[in-house]
Amino acid sequence: MKAVWIVDDDQSIRWVLEKALVREGFAVRAFGSAAECLRALDDDAPQVLVSDIRMPGDSGIDLLQRFRERRPGTPVIIMTAYSDLESAVSAFQGGAFEYLPKPFDLPAAIELIRRAVEESVREAAADEHVEVGLDMLGQAPAMQEVFRAIGRLSQSNVTVMITGESGTGKELVARALHEHSPRARAAFVALNTAAIPRDLLESELFGHERGAFTGAQQMRRGRFEQAEGGTLFLDEIGDMPAELQTRLLRVLSDGQYYRVGGHQPLKANVRVIAATHQNLEERVRQGLFREDLFHRLNVIRLRLPPLRERREDIPLLARHFLQKSSRELGGEPKRLSDDAVRVLRSFDWPGNVRQLENACHWLTVMAPAQVVGAKDLPPEIREAVGAPALPADAARGPEPLPATAAGAAPAGASASSGAGAGAGAGAGAGAGAGVLSAPRQGAAGDALVGATSWSQLLEREVSAQLAAQPASLDDGVHGDLMERLAREFEGTIIRAALRHTRGRRIDAAQRLGIGRNTITRKIQELRLDDDEGAPDGSAAKGRPGH
C-alpha cells in the first residue's frame, strides 16, 4: 500500500498527523522540507501528499508545482493558516485537491485525507484502461461484450453492421475495428449517407468523370476509391436512397463499381462497415430498404448499448471527457463530487455518450469551482433528475436537536443542546441557548416542532425571554438578548453547513454565499472549533505563520 506523505517543518504537526493516520490504518512518511520530499520522489511515490504552505527553503507552492509535474494524478492537500488562505486559493486554483486551514480539526483532517486516498484509488483504476487514442471506455458487461467482439473481428475482413441509438459511439467502434485490423495502414473513410443530398450521394460514393454532369469540370475520386485497401464506414445506412442501395449491393456482390459517367470498371478492395440507429428489419418490411442488401450488410451485427444501460460507466466516461476538455481548453480538469455523480447516473441520457461529452465540455467552461457539485450541472440534467441532489445523509435533513422553550419548557428555562453554538459564547445565556436548534421535519422545510415556521418559533422565544426580564431596567444597564440570539443564529447556520459539507469550510462558505475569510473568522469568534475538537477534546493547532 502506498503511503500518505506529510511535509511540514513543524515536528509537532507531523507527529500529530502521523499518529492519527497510523491509527486509521494508513502508511505514512513524514518530511521536514520540500527538498526532502522531492528527493524521496526519485525512488517512491505517495498515494496522497499533504504539505504545509510556508516552510524554510522551497515553499508549499514550489513543491506543489514540481510535484504535479512528476505526479499529475496524485491528490495534493495544502495546509495553510487563516492569513494565507486567499493567496493559497488563488495560487492553487489549478492544482490542489483541497485546503486544510490551520488550526485544523483532527478528525476533519483525517476524513479529508481519506477522501483524497479514495480519489487516488479511482484515478489509478481509471488509468489502467488502455484507450488507444479513442474515447471508448467501459466496464459494463454490455461494453465488455463489444470489446470482445472487436477483438474477434479485428483480423477478419467480414462486413459488419453496427446498430445503436444516436450518440452511442458507432463510428468509434468502426474506427477500432479498422485500427486493430490488417488494414490499419490504409485509409479509414467515413460517410454519413443521411447528410449528403440525394443527387450528390452517388458521386460522393463512387466519384465521377470529367463532364459526367453539369459542373463536373474534372475527374473526382469517390469514397470507395479513397478507402482502397482500407475501410469504408457508411453511417446512417438506413437513409440511403433506393437507387443507390442497388449500386451498393452490386459493389458488395461483384467487388466492382463505375464512376459516374465512367465506362471502366474499378476494383473495390474495401472493407465495408455500416451503421444505423434505425430498425432495418422494419424498414425492409415497409419496402424502404432492400432485403438482399440488408442480408449483405448484416453478416455480423454489433449492438451498442445506450448509456442508460451502462450507468456504471458514467463516472469513468465523465472523468475522461473532463480531462479531454481540460487539455483542449487549458487548465486542470474539473472533478465530480459524489452528489454530481449520483445525478449523472440517474439521468437517462437520450443523447448517450455524445451528450455526456457535451455536458463535460459545458462543465469545464461553466462550473465555478474545481469540484463540480450537483448544483453546478447543466439545468436540463438537474431539472430532469430533480437536482440539486444532496448526499444521502444531508437529504434526510439536519439531525434532530432538542426543542426549545417555545413549546417544551417554561419561559426563562434553558434548553440548550450539548453542541449549541451559544455554549461559551456568553456565560449565563439562559433561555436563549438552543433556540434555533429545533428539528426540521425533513422535506417539509418550514415545519418545526410546536410552530408552523422557524420565524414564528423565534418570535415566541424572544417574547418569552423579554417577559422573563425585570419590568424595568436600571439606568445604564442593557440586555444582551439581541447579541446572544444573533450569535446563536449565525452559529447554527454555520454548524449546519459544516455538518452538510463534512467539515469542508470552503465548500460551506460557497453554499452559504459568504467569503472564505468570513467563515473562518465566524468559526473563531463563535468558538465553533471548540465544538469540533479531536476525540480528546483538543484541536490540532499550528503555528501562526502556517
Side-chain angles (χ1 to χ4, degrees):
M1 179 177 66
K2 289 186 177 180
V4 175
W5 286 12
I6 302 168
V7 185
D8 198 313
D9 62 310
D10 188 334
Q11 184 180 5
S12 63
I13 295 292
R14 298 199 306 270
W15 186 87
V16 168
L17 280 175
E18 183 174 1
K19 294 300 180 185
L21 287 168
V22 169
R23 281 198 304 269
E24 295 294 323
F26 293 103
V28 182
R29 288 187 67 179
F31 306 90
S33 68
E36 290 180 28
C37 174
L38 291 170
R39 283 196 298 270
L41 199 59
D42 293 335
D43 304 313
D44 197 5
Q47 195 156 44
V48 170
L49 176 67
V50 183
S51 175
D52 190 21
I53 189 173
R54 289 191 179 181
M55 297 179 290
D58 290 336
S59 68
I61 297 176
D62 299 326
L63 175 59
L64 176 70
Q65 293 173 343
R66 295 171 64 182
F67 181 85
R68 288 189 64 80
E69 288 174 0
R70 299 169 64 177
R71 304 290 301 182
T74 302
V76 179
I77 297 172
I78 295 298
M79 295 184 289
T80 176
Y82 162 75
S83 59
D84 297 322
L85 195 54
E86 287 299 328
S87 60
V89 170
S90 59
F92 300 138
Q93 276 280 338
F97 174 77
E98 187 57 276
Y99 309 98
L100 184 59
K102 289 183 178 180
F104 55 79
D105 170 42
L106 190 56
I110 300 303
E111 177 60 26
L112 174 58
I113 294 172
R114 190 187 307 280
R115 287 195 299 110
V117 169
E118 292 171 355
E119 173 72 13
S120 178
V121 170
R122 284 194 292 269
E123 291 268 346
D127 288 342
E128 291 177 0
H129 291 267
V130 180
E131 301 177 27
V132 295
L134 300 175
D135 297 337
M136 274 203 347
L137 300 169
Q139 298 172 327
M143 284 305 295
Q144 292 300 311
E145 284 297 321
V146 172
F147 296 156
R148 279 192 285 270
I150 291 173
R152 288 193 292 266
L153 293 169
S154 61
Q155 299 304 310
S156 169
N157 199 42
V158 67
T159 301
V160 178
M161 169 76 76
I162 305 172
T163 63
E165 297 178 6
S166 294
T168 50
K170 295 187 288 293
E171 183 171 344
L172 289 177
V173 172
R175 286 185 180 275
L177 286 168
H178 169 75
E179 293 184 7
H180 291 81
S181 76
R183 296 175 175 268
R185 295 182 179 274
F188 175 88
V189 177
L191 177 67
N192 186 326
T193 59
I196 307 296
R198 296 171 64 98
D199 54 346
L200 295 180
L201 185 55
E202 184 179 18
S203 175
E204 282 290 328
L205 274 173
F206 305 112
H208 62 255
E209 298 289 352
R210 180 179 179 181
F213 51 84
T214 303
Q217 298 178 358
Q218 58 186 5
M219 186 274 290
R220 184 179 186 278
R221 298 166 66 231
R223 300 302 174 93
F224 266 97
E225 202 168 346
Q226 294 170 18
E228 179 66 19
T231 302
L232 176 61
F233 174 59
L234 299 177
D235 199 6
E236 301 302 347
I237 193 72
D239 292 312
M240 179 175 280
E243 59 274 18
L244 282 183
Q245 293 179 31
T246 303
R247 287 206 62 181
L248 178 60
L249 177 63
R250 186 177 300 276
V251 177
L252 295 177
S253 302
D254 303 340
Q256 291 183 338
Y257 64 95
Y258 293 84
R259 296 192 189 108
V260 177
H263 304 285
Q264 184 69 31
L266 301 175
K267 185 70 175 176
N269 177 21
V270 173
R271 182 187 192 182
V272 174
I273 299 177
T276 182
H277 73 281
Q278 302 185 60
N279 185 333
L280 283 189
E281 288 95 335
E282 181 61 30
R283 290 184 70 80
V284 168
R285 284 192 291 270
Q286 295 172 356
L288 300 175
F289 199 83
R290 292 183 62 115
E291 184 173 7
D292 46 3
L293 177 59
F294 168 74
H295 291 303
R296 279 284 179 180
L297 294 172
N298 195 40
V299 179
I300 298 292
R301 183 185 298 204
L302 283 181
R303 175 187 177 270
L304 295 190
L307 195 53
R308 61 183 174 276
E309 292 182 10
R310 44 183 292 227
R311 296 180 191 273
E312 59 266 50
D313 289 339
I314 290 175
L316 180 67
L317 288 165
R319 173 184 174 275
H320 168 74
F321 289 137
L322 288 171
Q323 290 180 334
K324 181 181 177 183
S325 293
S326 72
R327 289 193 297 269
E328 294 172 355
L329 301 175
E332 285 291 313
K334 301 289 178 71
R335 297 190 299 272
L336 296 173
S337 69
D338 292 341
D339 295 343
V341 170
R342 273 194 290 270
V343 173
L344 293 180
R345 292 187 64 167
S346 299
F347 187 57
D348 277 342
W349 299 104
N352 294 293
V353 179
R354 183 185 297 121
Q355 185 181 10
L356 176 60
E357 181 176 12
N358 291 340
C360 291
H361 196 76
W362 186 92
L363 289 172
T364 300
V365 176
M366 301 298 294
Q370 199 66 26
V371 178
V372 177
K375 61 181 175 55
D376 302 319
L377 296 174
E380 64 273 14
I381 296 176
R382 287 188 283 108
E383 292 167 5
V385 179
L390 299 177
D393 53 345
R396 292 192 295 266
E399 298 175 6
L401 298 174
T404 69
S414 174
S416 174
S417 71
V435 65
L436 298 177
S437 300
R440 289 188 181 274
Q441 296 179 351
D446 290 335
L448 293 165
V449 173
T452 57
S453 72
W454 67 268
S455 58
Q456 289 179 331
L457 180 60
L458 176 61
E459 183 178 353
R460 293 182 189 180
E461 180 65 20
V462 173
S463 297
Q465 293 212 35
L466 290 173
Q469 291 180 351
S472 61
L473 297 177
D474 296 336
D475 290 342
V477 176
H478 300 282
D480 64 348
L481 179 60
M482 184 74 174
E483 180 183 355
R484 283 193 291 105
L485 294 185
R487 288 174 65 88
E488 187 164 358
F489 182 86
E490 289 185 332
T492 300
I493 292 175
I494 294 173
R495 194 170 60 251
L498 290 171
R499 190 163 55 229
H500 174 73
T501 62
R502 299 179 182 177
R504 299 190 297 275
R505 295 183 180 183
I506 295 176
D507 192 7
Q510 284 182 314
R511 293 176 182 276
L512 293 177
I514 61 177
R516 291 179 283 268
N517 287 346
T518 301
I519 196 170
T520 301
R521 175 169 51 81
K522 290 291 185 182
I523 288 171
Q524 292 173 344
E525 289 177 355
L526 300 172
R527 297 188 181 180
L528 298 185
D529 275 329
D530 296 340
D531 299 333
E532 303 170 341
D536 62 357
S538 63
K541 306 291 182 182
R543 290 183 289 144
H546 289 251

PDB file of all heavy atoms in Angstrom, residues 36-55:
ATOM      1  N   GLU A  36      13.463  17.416   0.896  1.00  0.00           N
ATOM      2  CA  GLU A  36      13.475  16.010   1.304  1.00  0.00           C
ATOM      3  C   GLU A  36      12.408  15.224   0.552  1.00  0.00           C
ATOM      4  O   GLU A  36      12.638  14.098   0.101  1.00  0.00           O
ATOM      5  CB  GLU A  36      13.217  15.902   2.811  1.00  0.00           C
ATOM      6  CG  GLU A  36      14.339  16.397   3.692  1.00  0.00           C
ATOM      7  CD  GLU A  36      13.982  16.246   5.165  1.00  0.00           C
ATOM      8  OE1 GLU A  36      13.178  15.334   5.492  1.00  0.00           O
ATOM      9  OE2 GLU A  36      14.485  17.024   5.988  1.00  0.00           O
ATOM     10  N   CYS A  37      11.219  15.806   0.426  1.00  0.00           N
ATOM     11  CA  CYS A  37      10.117  15.139  -0.261  1.00  0.00           C
ATOM     12  C   CYS A  37      10.457  14.888  -1.720  1.00  0.00           C
ATOM     13  O   CYS A  37      10.235  13.781  -2.242  1.00  0.00           O
ATOM     14  CB  CYS A  37       8.848  15.981  -0.139  1.00  0.00           C
ATOM     15  SG  CYS A  37       7.445  15.347  -1.087  1.00  0.00           S
ATOM     16  N   LEU A  38      11.030  15.884  -2.406  1.00  0.00           N
ATOM     17  CA  LEU A  38      11.346  15.733  -3.816  1.00  0.00           C
ATOM     18  C   LEU A  38      12.453  14.703  -4.033  1.00  0.00           C
ATOM     19  O   LEU A  38      12.444  13.973  -5.031  1.00  0.00           O
ATOM     20  CB  LEU A  38      11.756  17.082  -4.408  1.00  0.00           C
ATOM     21  CG  LEU A  38      10.618  18.109  -4.523  1.00  0.00           C
ATOM     22  CD1 LEU A  38      11.166  19.487  -4.898  1.00  0.00           C
ATOM     23  CD2 LEU A  38       9.588  17.650  -5.545  1.00  0.00           C
ATOM     24  N   ARG A  39      13.423  14.623  -3.102  1.00  0.00           N
ATOM     25  CA  ARG A  39      14.462  13.596  -3.223  1.00  0.00           C
ATOM     26  C   ARG A  39      13.855  12.205  -3.086  1.00  0.00           C
ATOM     27  O   ARG A  39      14.209  11.275  -3.822  1.00  0.00           O
ATOM     28  CB  ARG A  39      15.546  13.816  -2.159  1.00  0.00           C
ATOM     29  CG  ARG A  39      16.515  14.939  -2.493  1.00  0.00           C
ATOM     30  CD  ARG A  39      17.762  14.868  -1.632  1.00  0.00           C
ATOM     31  NE  ARG A  39      17.456  15.030  -0.207  1.00  0.00           N
ATOM     32  CZ  ARG A  39      17.431  16.196   0.413  1.00  0.00           C
ATOM     33  NH1 ARG A  39      17.678  17.318  -0.277  1.00  0.00           N
ATOM     34  NH2 ARG A  39      17.152  16.271   1.702  1.00  0.00           N
ATOM     35  N   ALA A  40      12.908  12.052  -2.152  1.00  0.00           N
ATOM     36  CA  ALA A  40      12.266  10.746  -1.963  1.00  0.00           C
ATOM     37  C   ALA A  40      11.435  10.352  -3.172  1.00  0.00           C
ATOM     38  O   ALA A  40      11.235   9.165  -3.449  1.00  0.00           O
ATOM     39  CB  ALA A  40      11.385  10.783  -0.714  1.00  0.00           C
ATOM     40  N   LEU A  41      10.971  11.356  -3.922  1.00  0.00           N
ATOM     41  CA  LEU A  41      10.128  11.082  -5.084  1.00  0.00           C
ATOM     42  C   LEU A  41      10.913  10.401  -6.208  1.00  0.00           C
ATOM     43  O   LEU A  41      10.317   9.811  -7.110  1.00  0.00           O
ATOM     44  CB  LEU A  41       9.520  12.401  -5.589  1.00  0.00           C
ATOM     45  CG  LEU A  41       8.289  12.316  -6.495  1.00  0.00           C
ATOM     46  CD1 LEU A  41       7.152  11.606  -5.793  1.00  0.00           C
ATOM     47  CD2 LEU A  41       7.854  13.715  -6.916  1.00  0.00           C
ATOM     48  N   ASP A  42      12.238  10.458  -6.134  1.00  0.00           N
ATOM     49  CA  ASP A  42      13.049   9.775  -7.144  1.00  0.00           C
ATOM     50  C   ASP A  42      12.899   8.263  -7.063  1.00  0.00           C
ATOM     51  O   ASP A  42      13.055   7.564  -8.070  1.00  0.00           O
ATOM     52  CB  ASP A  42      14.525  10.151  -6.982  1.00  0.00           C
ATOM     53  CG  ASP A  42      14.786  11.623  -7.292  1.00  0.00           C
ATOM     54  OD1 ASP A  42      13.995  12.213  -8.062  1.00  0.00           O
ATOM     55  OD2 ASP A  42      15.759  12.180  -6.737  1.00  0.00           O
ATOM     56  N   ASP A  43      12.625   7.745  -5.858  1.00  0.00           N
ATOM     57  CA  ASP A  43      12.569   6.290  -5.657  1.00  0.00           C
ATOM     58  C   ASP A  43      11.190   5.787  -5.273  1.00  0.00           C
ATOM     59  O   ASP A  43      10.953   4.575  -5.280  1.00  0.00           O
ATOM     60  CB  ASP A  43      13.565   5.878  -4.557  1.00  0.00           C
ATOM     61  CG  ASP A  43      14.977   6.345  -4.866  1.00  0.00           C
ATOM     62  OD1 ASP A  43      15.423   6.145  -6.004  1.00  0.00           O
ATOM     63  OD2 ASP A  43      15.626   6.914  -3.963  1.00  0.00           O
ATOM     64  N   ASP A  44      10.293   6.653  -4.915  1.00  0.00           N
ATOM     65  CA  ASP A  44       8.988   6.220  -4.419  1.00  0.00           C
ATOM     66  C   ASP A  44       7.956   7.275  -4.780  1.00  0.00           C
ATOM     67  O   ASP A  44       8.291   8.341  -5.319  1.00  0.00           O
ATOM     68  CB  ASP A  44       9.045   6.031  -2.887  1.00  0.00           C
ATOM     69  CG  ASP A  44       7.885   5.216  -2.348  1.00  0.00           C
ATOM     70  OD1 ASP A  44       7.079   4.706  -3.169  1.00  0.00           O
ATOM     71  OD2 ASP A  44       7.772   5.078  -1.109  1.00  0.00           O
ATOM     72  N   ALA A  45       6.693   6.983  -4.498  1.00  0.00           N
ATOM     73  CA  ALA A  45       5.612   7.938  -4.780  1.00  0.00           C
ATOM     74  C   ALA A  45       4.500   7.726  -3.763  1.00  0.00           C
ATOM     75  O   ALA A  45       4.218   6.592  -3.375  1.00  0.00           O
ATOM     76  CB  ALA A  45       5.083   7.763  -6.200  1.00  0.00           C
ATOM     77  N   PRO A  46       3.854   8.807  -3.326  1.00  0.00           N
ATOM     78  CA  PRO A  46       2.780   8.672  -2.336  1.00  0.00           C
ATOM     79  C   PRO A  46       1.436   8.433  -3.008  1.00  0.00           C
ATOM     80  O   PRO A  46       1.288   8.613  -4.222  1.00  0.00           O
ATOM     81  CB  PRO A  46       2.788  10.030  -1.645  1.00  0.00           C
ATOM     82  CG  PRO A  46       3.166  10.985  -2.742  1.00  0.00           C
ATOM     83  CD  PRO A  46       4.145  10.229  -3.610  1.00  0.00           C
ATOM     84  N   GLN A  47       0.476   8.035  -2.191  1.00  0.00           N
ATOM     85  CA  GLN A  47      -0.899   7.984  -2.677  1.00  0.00           C
ATOM     86  C   GLN A  47      -1.550   9.351  -2.535  1.00  0.00           C
ATOM     87  O   GLN A  47      -2.361   9.759  -3.367  1.00  0.00           O
ATOM     88  CB  GLN A  47      -1.699   6.944  -1.889  1.00  0.00           C
ATOM     89  CG  GLN A  47      -3.008   6.555  -2.533  1.00  0.00           C
ATOM     90  CD  GLN A  47      -3.453   5.195  -2.080  1.00  0.00           C
ATOM     91  OE1 GLN A  47      -3.390   4.880  -0.905  1.00  0.00           O
ATOM     92  NE2 GLN A  47      -3.930   4.366  -3.005  1.00  0.00           N
ATOM     93  N   VAL A  48      -1.169  10.084  -1.495  1.00  0.00           N
ATOM     94  CA  VAL A  48      -1.652  11.446  -1.259  1.00  0.00           C
ATOM     95  C   VAL A  48      -0.506  12.237  -0.643  1.00  0.00           C
ATOM     96  O   VAL A  48       0.241  11.711   0.190  1.00  0.00           O
ATOM     97  CB  VAL A  48      -2.874  11.463  -0.311  1.00  0.00           C
ATOM     98  CG1 VAL A  48      -3.215  12.892   0.116  1.00  0.00           C
ATOM     99  CG2 VAL A  48      -4.078  10.813  -0.961  1.00  0.00           C
ATOM    100  N   LEU A  49      -0.363  13.488  -1.039  1.00  0.00           N
ATOM    101  CA  LEU A  49       0.641  14.382  -0.464  1.00  0.00           C
ATOM    102  C   LEU A  49      -0.066  15.459   0.345  1.00  0.00           C
ATOM    103  O   LEU A  49      -0.981  16.119  -0.162  1.00  0.00           O
ATOM    104  CB  LEU A  49       1.485  15.023  -1.564  1.00  0.00           C
ATOM    105  CG  LEU A  49       2.522  16.076  -1.109  1.00  0.00           C
ATOM    106  CD1 LEU A  49       3.608  15.412  -0.282  1.00  0.00           C
ATOM    107  CD2 LEU A  49       3.132  16.797  -2.308  1.00  0.00           C
ATOM    108  N   VAL A  50       0.367  15.640   1.610  1.00  0.00           N
ATOM    109  CA  VAL A  50      -0.166  16.697   2.477  1.00  0.00           C
ATOM    110  C   VAL A  50       1.002  17.616   2.825  1.00  0.00           C
ATOM    111  O   VAL A  50       1.976  17.178   3.438  1.00  0.00           O
ATOM    112  CB  VAL A  50      -0.789  16.119   3.768  1.00  0.00           C
ATOM    113  CG1 VAL A  50      -1.403  17.234   4.606  1.00  0.00           C
ATOM    114  CG2 VAL A  50      -1.836  15.063   3.434  1.00  0.00           C
ATOM    115  N   SER A  51       0.922  18.884   2.408  1.00  0.00           N
ATOM    116  CA  SER A  51       2.063  19.782   2.581  1.00  0.00           C
ATOM    117  C   SER A  51       1.647  21.110   3.185  1.00  0.00           C
ATOM    118  O   SER A  51       0.580  21.649   2.872  1.00  0.00           O
ATOM    119  CB  SER A  51       2.732  20.033   1.226  1.00  0.00           C
ATOM    120  OG  SER A  51       3.771  20.999   1.350  1.00  0.00           O
ATOM    121  N   ASP A  52       2.534  21.630   4.052  1.00  0.00           N
ATOM    122  CA  ASP A  52       2.363  22.988   4.565  1.00  0.00           C
ATOM    123  C   ASP A  52       2.690  23.975   3.452  1.00  0.00           C
ATOM    124  O   ASP A  52       3.351  23.634   2.459  1.00  0.00           O
ATOM    125  CB  ASP A  52       3.289  23.194   5.765  1.00  0.00           C
ATOM    126  CG  ASP A  52       2.990  24.495   6.500  1.00  0.00           C
ATOM    127  OD1 ASP A  52       1.861  25.006   6.341  1.00  0.00           O
ATOM    128  OD2 ASP A  52       3.865  24.995   7.217  1.00  0.00           O
ATOM    129  N   ILE A  53       2.228  25.220   3.610  1.00  0.00           N
ATOM    130  CA  ILE A  53       2.471  26.214   2.579  1.00  0.00           C
ATOM    131  C   ILE A  53       3.726  27.033   2.850  1.00  0.00           C
ATOM    132  O   ILE A  53       4.476  27.364   1.945  1.00  0.00           O
ATOM    133  CB  ILE A  53       1.248  27.144   2.406  1.00  0.00           C
ATOM    134  CG1 ILE A  53       1.427  28.037   1.190  1.00  0.00           C
ATOM    135  CG2 ILE A  53       0.974  27.942   3.655  1.00  0.00           C
ATOM    136  CD1 ILE A  53       0.199  28.851   0.854  1.00  0.00           C
ATOM    137  N   ARG A  54       3.998  27.344   4.128  1.00  0.00           N
ATOM    138  CA  ARG A  54       5.161  28.171   4.467  1.00  0.00           C
ATOM    139  C   ARG A  54       6.197  27.316   5.184  1.00  0.00           C
ATOM    140  O   ARG A  54       5.966  26.844   6.297  1.00  0.00           O
ATOM    141  CB  ARG A  54       4.741  29.341   5.357  1.00  0.00           C
ATOM    142  CG  ARG A  54       3.939  30.389   4.622  1.00  0.00           C
ATOM    143  CD  ARG A  54       3.793  31.627   5.460  1.00  0.00           C
ATOM    144  NE  ARG A  54       3.054  32.661   4.768  1.00  0.00           N
ATOM    145  CZ  ARG A  54       2.802  33.859   5.282  1.00  0.00           C
ATOM    146  NH1 ARG A  54       3.230  34.158   6.498  1.00  0.00           N
ATOM    147  NH2 ARG A  54       2.115  34.753   4.588  1.00  0.00           N
ATOM    148  N   MET A  55       7.333  27.121   4.519  1.00  0.00           N
ATOM    149  CA  MET A  55       8.430  26.342   5.076  1.00  0.00           C
ATOM    150  C   MET A  55       9.746  26.981   4.668  1.00  0.00           C
ATOM    151  O   MET A  55       9.812  27.664   3.645  1.00  0.00           O
ATOM    152  CB  MET A  55       8.378  24.893   4.549  1.00  0.00           C
ATOM    153  CG  MET A  55       7.138  24.107   4.931  1.00  0.00           C
ATOM    154  SD  MET A  55       7.151  22.439   4.248  1.00  0.00           S
ATOM    155  CE  MET A  55       6.931  22.793   2.481  1.00  0.00           C
TER     156      MET A  55
END
